[in-house]
Amino acid sequence: MSVGKKILGLISLALLLVLWGGYVYVFQDVRDGQYGDLFDGRAWCGSPPPSGESYYKKDHLALVVKNTTQGEFAVSGWINVSERTFNKYELGKNELRLRLEPLQSSYADTFLIPEEMKIKPLSRNFNSVNRNAYADLEGRPIRVLGQATKFPFDVYRYGYRPVLYIIKGTERIDLKFRHITTTMDLSNTLSPVQKYNPLDYFNAKSNLVLESDYTPYKSNECAFSIERKGSFKIIVLLLLLVVCLPLMHAFYRDEPAIDFLATLVGVAAIRLFLVGPLKDFHVYGIDFVFGAVILLVGTVTLIKAMRLSAQRERAARSGSTW
């Protein structure tokens, strides 16, 4: 056996061992048909809502942040207003509004544009025991800092300060809600980590800036760093190695044309599973890995086809049987 064949055999054996070892690792992390823990992608910050009988009698705002596989985030939620607050600010004729003020994301970040959220009309229950008004927020996409194209090493930063307000004449009046909660209800492939001070949220070090220069976040200021779980990155690696199996077969086959087709189908299926269908030619970093695998299989297949054709031509000229 030639040196090249031995090296190829060792690579194939190592690939199989990694795939089977990773399969066992992933299998052990499956619980009740769900990969990982159901609450892996959940976290919250702020002041918790009132409990018990005071739940409807006190003012509180709840925001819920969800995500898609394409790295897009959306926020929704609901609001409860007590009768006292409703009458104080005359919310029957003054529209209740909500703005999300972005937190400073870097040392030089000073121009911050708030995001507006639409609050649906308040449903009044003042004749009931609860004596409150309630409304849902209209869900909308929310801007987060990060690059989805770096999948599966994409890291996002969510940081906002929710502020409720009304416009009375020409004056903007901010409402003071003690209970404001932001809940991250993300895919369990993501891991949100709350940040308690700006320096941690910036994720950057500078010898010119001291920790005492920035005060910790207040209860109504929520900052999260969101990244992929390590176990999910292992799954992505395993799927990439699975795509490499047709490449290994192409080295062993004399006529490996079917392996090129298998690679195309495998890449399309895995890409759709991981990041969804191609949208407006939005290319991820992992797409270049897929492209490299397709080119490698295509190159090996074409070279073997050319060599096989040359051998057949030589056999035909010499009159021997192929």
Side-chain angles (χ1 to χ4, degrees):
M1 184 182 291
S2 64
V3 176
K5 290 288 186 180
K6 290 181 179 179
I7 294 176
L8 184 60
L10 290 175
I11 293 175
S12 300
L13 180 61
L15 177 61
L16 290 174
L17 290 175
V18 171
L19 284 172
W20 278 106
Y23 178 80
V24 173
Y25 173 83
V26 171
F27 180 78
Q28 291 177 341
D29 206 25
V30 174
R31 304 181 184 93
D32 298 327
Q34 176 84 25
Y35 178 70
D37 196 319
L38 180 63
F39 300 99
D40 283 349
R42 295 186 180 181
W44 70 276
C45 74
S47 300
S51 58
E53 296 181 356
S54 61
Y55 181 84
Y56 294 103
K57 297 180 181 179
K58 291 187 177 181
D59 304 321
H60 58 81
L61 169 68
L63 299 176
V64 180
V65 180
K66 296 180 179 289
N67 74 293
T68 66
T69 55
Q70 286 79 23
E72 299 170 348
F73 291 78
V75 62
S76 59
W78 60 89
I79 182 174
N80 185 81
V81 180
S82 65
E83 184 180 19
R84 176 179 176 275
T85 300
F86 187 93
N87 294 331
K88 177 181 179 181
Y89 294 101
E90 300 179 313
L91 297 182
K93 62 179 180 180
N94 296 320
E95 181 185 1
L96 184 59
R97 304 165 185 251
L98 172 63
R99 70 177 184 272
L100 302 179
E101 299 179 348
L103 301 179
Q104 185 178 353
S105 58
S106 66
Y107 303 116
D109 192 8
T110 56
F111 185 67
L112 304 174
I113 301 176
E115 304 267 357
E116 291 287 336
M117 285 201 69
K118 178 71 174 177
I119 300 177
K120 296 181 180 180
L122 291 166
S123 299
R124 310 177 195 182
N125 302 310
F126 300 136
N127 294 327
S128 66
V129 178
N130 297 324
R131 306 187 69 81
N132 71 318
Y134 173 92
D136 289 323
L137 309 181
E138 290 188 1
R140 54 152 295 175
I142 190 70
R143 186 177 67 91
V144 297
L145 302 175
Q147 291 182 311
T149 54
K150 293 183 178 180
F151 177 91
F153 302 102
D154 43 342
V155 179
Y156 306 97
R157 286 184 292 159
Y158 170 97
Y160 286 95
R161 179 193 304 108
V163 180
L164 290 157
Y165 69 99
I166 60 172
I167 302 295
K168 195 171 185 178
T170 58
E171 182 184 7
R172 188 185 73 184
I173 303 175
D174 292 344
L175 280 64
K176 304 297 183 182
F177 271 39
R178 291 181 55 191
H179 301 279
I180 298 179
T181 309
T182 300
T183 302
M184 310 298 289
D185 187 12
L186 309 177
S187 162
N188 64 348
T189 64
L190 293 171
S191 179
V193 178
Q194 185 180 356
K195 301 299 181 180
Y196 296 93
N197 61 74
L199 292 185
D200 289 341
Y201 180 62
F202 293 169
N203 194 25
K205 302 295 182 181
S206 174
N207 296 327
L208 302 177
V209 179
L210 300 177
E211 189 171 351
S212 57
D213 294 337
Y214 292 89
T215 58
Y217 289 127
K218 299 177 182 178
S219 61
N220 64 333
E221 298 174 329
C222 284
F224 285 96
S225 175
I226 306 165
E227 61 180 280
R228 303 284 175 180
K229 292 197 309 183
S231 55
F232 178 75
K233 295 176 183 177
I234 292 177
I235 291 180
V236 175
L237 174 62
L238 292 177
L239 291 175
L240 291 177
L241 293 178
V242 167
V243 175
C244 293
L245 286 176
L247 174 62
M248 306 309 297
H249 278 282
F251 281 109
Y252 284 102
R253 292 181 190 268
D254 292 329
E255 299 183 26
I258 190 65
D259 298 307
F260 183 68
L261 295 177
T263 302
L264 291 177
V265 174
V267 166
I270 292 175
R271 205 260 184 206
L272 183 65
F273 172 74
L274 291 177
V275 295
L278 189 65
K279 183 179 179 181
D280 295 332
F281 289 94
H282 187 69
V283 180
Y284 295 80
I286 198 172
D287 288 325
F288 292 97
V289 179
F290 290 141
V293 173
I294 293 174
L295 286 176
L296 282 172
V297 177
T299 301
V300 173
T301 301
L302 184 58
I303 290 175
K304 285 205 168 189
M306 293 168 61
R307 185 168 60 183
L308 184 61
S309 177
Q311 290 175 349
R312 285 174 175 171
E313 289 181 2
R314 286 196 299 267
R317 285 195 301 266
S318 63
S320 61
T321 302
W322 175 254

